[in-house]
Amino acid sequence: MSNITQPAAPTAAQKQEARARCDRGTQFFMQGKAGEAAAEYAAAIALDPELAAPYINLGLLTQKSELPDKALALYERALTLQPDNPPLLAEMVLLSQKACAWDKTAAYAPFLLDMVRKRRAGIVPFTILGTPATAEDLLLCAQTFCRGVAPPKKSLFRHNSRPAGDKIKIGYLSSDYRAHATADLMAELFERHDRARFHVAAYSYGQDDGSAMRKRLLAAFDDFVEAGHLDDRAAAQKIYDDGIDILVDLKGGFTPESRPGIAAFRPAPVQVNFLGYPGTMGADFIDYIIADRFIIPEECEKFYSEKVVCLPDCYQPNDTHRKIADPAPTRADCGLPESGIVFCSFNAAYKITPQVFAIWMRLLAKTPDSVLWLLEGIQSVKDNLLRAAQGPGIDAARIVFAPKLGPAKHLARQKCADLFLDTLPINAHTTASDALWAGLPVLTCVGKTFAGRVAGSLLHAANLPELVTESPEDYEAAALALAQNPAQLAALREKIEKTRLDMPLFDSKRFTENLEKAYQTMWQKWQAKKPPRAFAVAEE
């Protein structure tokens, strides 16, 4: 018989005190008092080790402190206490991807997808983008999630027609009016809108970072409305009171900091999903999604609750005023070898999968003197990637990490790379545009969902279809062939640099005009009381 004494079960008083300490910790957490919050959560765990909430909350706090491995351990403990907790499981899967803790992703992603297919509530669709989720899974997940945020029908706003000939009032809803990838793409579009036909307003619920981009955006709109202090209903009321005709949700409802509850009140008669979230919102309060025919082939429209509006070239706008620092750094400045092929991928770590990383390692093995250049993340992510490289026997010195830099310097250093290697199932989006703007060839592999088809769309709009592959095998073979032919890589770079301003991808005037045609058509349909219908903007 064991002599080990089992810990006594907590008393009712201890359980009550544990819940109180957990609640107090959350109050501290909301006030930004991390140390006090952590102490309260730890005290709650000591009082009642079987209470899941303090493990979850302490995990969130630890995650914000950039300690993903510790956070994952806390989440795993919470999951043993609450195995039927879809939001917790979703957070675990996403965090494991961000940390490149691929064993955790492999262990938990199948259970998460099973919950999605069983229509379990509380799973944010963004959390399954990097899993083997199908387009049908993403639609189902979005529909289930949006049912949870939809207000009662009696609280929805009603809209009446107004006289024709007035300017169309466009409202852009976002938390990203700052130094952010969305702003990097959209700034020139906001500035170029035809003020003779459109009144353009921003509804911001994000922070003012005081950046040059923030100042530029403040000047780009006819109205700039701070809505961060308003709850969803009050923000929707403001949009309604301002008479917005077309509300464009630039967060798509499911990206970090998104607030789909605002659009759920239907504050505008026409509502659009655009750019921020690469997929369907699955919501009956969103009428259209902006795409192109490569992003959403006609046979895939059934996986979108919105009516698909296809722009002629590419769904993604670009800012042609992005500065590239001059002079560009040398390879030595960047910690790169002076000779040999430099493969790079400046995508966020959560987009890197073990399957893609294995391809990259094989490319390094087959290409002597080559290196892989990645964005520098927190130490645990670097450690996990370097550990993964040990399996195929790749010297850690051949993986170089690039520290964070400002936009102009980041664009300039990409001139030191030879080939940008894309990721799947989530492609490079703004990152691919940045590379092409800097003259760096991007090699992609086409996926089966919106997020996995973006780089292919960009490359077609850049007149570089030869860099779009259809399978992982073709992607690997194409990368190896290019690495073995530096002259071809140099020719690609020269082509990009010489034709950049002639590419449809970087024709901001053309893009703005096409998007405005789309808005005009949407508005005419509504004015004529016709239901939303999918359509393509005609090329002139």
Side-chain angles (χ1 to χ4, degrees), residues 178-456:
R178 51 192 170 92
H180 186 275
T182 298
D184 290 342
L185 296 176
M186 293 287 291
E188 187 174 354
L189 167 67
F190 298 143
E191 293 164 342
R192 280 188 173 275
H193 269 310
D194 182 356
R195 287 339 200 250
R197 295 185 297 131
F198 298 93
H199 180 96
V200 186
Y203 293 88
S204 171
Y205 53 87
Q207 294 183 346
D208 179 354
D209 63 355
S211 64
M213 177 58 77
R214 175 73 171 198
K215 294 180 177 65
R216 180 181 172 189
L217 293 171
L218 286 170
F221 289 95
D222 299 309
D223 298 310
F224 194 100
V225 180
E226 296 283 6
H229 64 290
L230 303 174
D231 63 22
D232 288 351
R233 183 63 172 79
Q237 182 73 55
K238 173 61 177 170
I239 293 166
Y240 176 80
D241 291 344
D242 288 347
I244 294 300
D245 299 314
I246 301 176
L247 181 66
V248 184
D249 191 337
L250 292 176
K251 292 296 288 185
F254 305 134
T255 49
E257 301 177 2
S258 62
R259 290 176 58 180
I262 297 175
F265 284 99
R266 179 63 82 164
V270 179
Q271 302 197 153
V272 181
N273 173 12
F274 179 36
L275 193 66
Y277 173 70
T280 182
M281 284 184 65
D284 59 6
F285 52 82
I286 299 294
D287 304 300
Y288 298 98
I289 183 171
I290 302 294
D292 58 61
R293 189 47 77 201
F294 188 91
I295 289 284
I296 305 179
E298 191 170 359
E299 64 271 18
C300 293
E301 289 187 10
K302 61 185 177 183
F303 300 121
Y304 294 80
S305 61
E306 307 91 343
K307 299 303 179 184
V308 178
V309 175
C310 287
L311 300 184
D313 305 306
C314 178
Y315 88 107
Q316 188 197 83
N318 272 282
D319 178 15
T320 59
H321 299 306
R322 280 177 291 183
K323 294 181 179 179
I324 301 176
D326 187 28
T330 65
R331 281 192 171 191
D333 293 333
C334 297
L336 298 168
E338 290 295 340
S339 60
I341 295 294
V342 175
F343 297 109
C344 84
S345 187
F346 289 145
N347 283 340
Y350 75 89
K351 296 185 180 183
I352 303 174
T353 64
Q355 294 80 15
V356 166
F357 194 76
I359 292 174
W360 295 350
M361 294 303 98
R362 289 196 293 271
L363 289 171
L364 290 182
K366 295 174 182 177
T367 311
D369 301 321
S370 64
V371 296
L372 176 64
W373 198 17
L374 303 175
L375 275 184
E376 186 172 61
I378 59 176
Q379 189 60 47
S380 60
V381 174
K382 291 171 63 176
D383 291 343
N384 286 337
L385 289 171
L386 292 175
R387 194 176 300 115
Q390 289 176 358
I394 299 300
D395 185 345
R398 297 181 67 189
I399 300 180
V400 182
F401 292 96
K404 290 184 179 179
L405 290 178
K409 290 183 177 180
H410 176 59
L411 288 171
R413 70 180 169 188
Q414 296 191 49
K415 294 182 180 297
C416 296
D418 294 296
L419 181 64
F420 186 112
L421 298 173
D422 199 11
T423 49
L424 197 72
I426 308 178
N427 283 172
H429 297 182
T430 308
T431 318
S433 287
D434 284 348
L436 292 169
W437 183 246
L440 176 61
V442 176
L443 181 70
T444 192
C445 183
V446 178
K448 298 185 182 302
T449 65
F450 192 126
R453 301 181 67 84
V454 171

